[in-house]
Amino acid sequence: MNYRHGYHAGNFADVVKHVALVVILQHLRKKDGAFSVIDTHAGRGLYDLRDAAPIATGEAEGGIARLADLAAKDAPPALGAYLRLVNECGRQRYPGSPLIAANLLRPQDRLTAIEKHPEEAAILKEVLAPFRGAVAQEADGYARLVRLLPPPSRRGLILIDPPFEATGEFEILARTLATAIRKFATGIFLVWYPIKSQSAADAFIGELLAAGIAKALTVEIAVAPPSERLTRAGVLVVNPPYGFAAEMLATAALLAPRLALDPARNPATIDVNWRAGSE
Ligand SMILES: C[S@@+](CC[C@H](N)C(=O)[O-])C[C@H]1O[C@@H](n2cnc3c(N)ncnc32)[C@H](O)[C@@H]1O
């Protein structure tokens, strides 16, 4: 396990993933009934952008830093809430998915954030300690997820955001997602994936859908043509809430012009599409 999210925190892919996360959580908050969030690959929860890792890559400069001119009050609701949360962390720090989720819990809601790396898990425990409904667990996210489903609330979101560093990650993800959906068919599942090539991403999505999902929505962002570095990424959402696609499209109109690496020559694109499965 060499991956450390600190190198990538706040990059363009985090921005899109975290806005999608907030859109879904805001939807779940509309009803009084409790919801559960399970974050299978949680990271440390809070990233200091002055650390050596983010400075070395400068990825936040091409992501969250590009949104500095956006006023939360003028943005669609989820983007506005996301910007407020980021601002509350201070200019030099960036919140990870478990901290974003913890901030959006109501007293009746629960978050289980799972992280396998011991050092990251230890920091995550400290970061989540102030949140009564949130718990951090040091464990394998795939195995623990299957044990935790269905959540007692029977409403909720599963975020699966692996590092994709191990060979076979796509396979274990597809297998776990199929099992998880069988155990919690009404759950909302948000899966992040890198796009090294569109054909590889399409094959991955096809594999996920072939595992028994009728359809899923994808949101894919490209900030530059394919290259050695990551310039494209996506999220796949199973059971997206009503209004999710419309809000992501409204958000895309504000994000795309800001996140392009070279806007004059290669404008960024954010595509929202339904993908049909085998059922
Ligand atoms: C992409 S990062 C997570 C970022 C986080 N979800 C966010 O958006 O802020 C992936 C994390 O998964 C952890 N990890 C790797 N393999 C894991 C596994 N099998 N179970 C749980 N965590 C794992 C890594 O240590 C890393 O912190």
Side-chain angles (χ1 to χ4, degrees):
M1 284 208 308
N2 294 319
Y3 183 94
R4 291 291 172 283
H5 194 63
Y7 288 98
H8 311 292
N11 69 4
F12 73 94
D14 258 10
V15 170
V16 171
K17 170 182 63 185
H18 291 156
V19 173
L21 172 66
V22 176
V23 174
I24 294 169
L25 292 172
Q26 287 194 330
H27 167 83
L28 287 167
R29 286 166 57 96
K30 284 183 185 156
K31 285 192 185 153
D32 287 341
F35 64 79
S36 303
V37 179
I38 301 173
D39 188 343
T40 61
H41 295 69
R44 63 170 57 190
L46 183 62
Y47 299 89
D48 192 329
L49 299 178
R50 293 162 301 187
D51 284 350
I55 288 173
T57 61
E59 290 193 18
E61 294 300 317
I64 188 61
R66 299 273 187 98
L67 309 188
D69 69 311
L70 261 179
K73 65 176 176 38
D74 300 329
L79 178 58
Y82 163 75
L83 292 172
R84 266 181 228 106
L85 281 172
V86 171
N87 290 339
E88 278 166 20
C89 289
R91 294 185 72 82
Q92 306 291 346
R93 296 194 302 172
Y94 184 77
S97 53
L99 183 57
I100 292 172
N103 270 288
L104 292 171
L105 298 179
R106 302 160 304 172
Q108 65 269 42
D109 306 323
R110 296 289 173 267
L111 163 68
T112 306
I114 308 160
E115 168 58 46
K116 191 171 179 183
H117 193 282
E119 283 166 28
E120 300 291 290
I123 295 169
L124 179 63
K125 282 179 186 164
E126 281 175 29
V127 167
L128 292 185
F131 297 91
R132 212 175 52 85
V135 60
Q137 299 183 356
E138 183 187 328
D140 174 75
Y142 296 117
R144 185 59 56 92
L145 171 65
V146 170
R147 280 179 43 198
L148 290 172
L149 294 180
S153 62
R154 297 294 201 274
R155 299 180 69 223
L157 165 67
I158 313 304
L159 169 61
I160 306 180
D161 181 20
F164 292 98
E165 65 177 355
T167 41
E169 184 104 56
F170 282 121
E171 287 74 17
I172 187 172
L173 170 51
R175 216 176 331 117
T176 306
L177 186 65
T179 308
I181 290 174
R182 269 197 300 279
K183 294 187 81 172
F184 186 31
T186 56
I188 301 168
F189 291 81
L190 175 63
V191 180
W192 183 86
Y193 56 93
I195 306 177
K196 303 261 169 63
S197 77
Q198 195 60 51
S199 56
D202 288 344
F204 165 63
I205 292 163
E207 215 170 291
L208 290 187
L209 295 173
I213 304 166
K215 59 179 188 165
L217 197 77
T218 56
V219 180
E220 296 188 339
I221 177 168
V223 296
S227 75
E228 279 301 294
R229 61 191 284 194
L230 187 73
T231 56
R232 299 186 290 161
V235 289
L236 175 138
V237 192
V238 181
N239 297 326
Y242 178 76
F244 177 84
E247 183 149 3
M248 289 308 292
L249 282 170
T251 299
L254 294 170
L255 295 187
R258 288 172 172 82
L259 293 177
L261 278 187
D262 182 357
R265 286 174 39 208
N266 292 300
T269 57
I270 300 181
D271 295 319
V272 181
N273 288 303
W274 277 106
R275 312 285 187 119
S278 53
E279 292 182 346

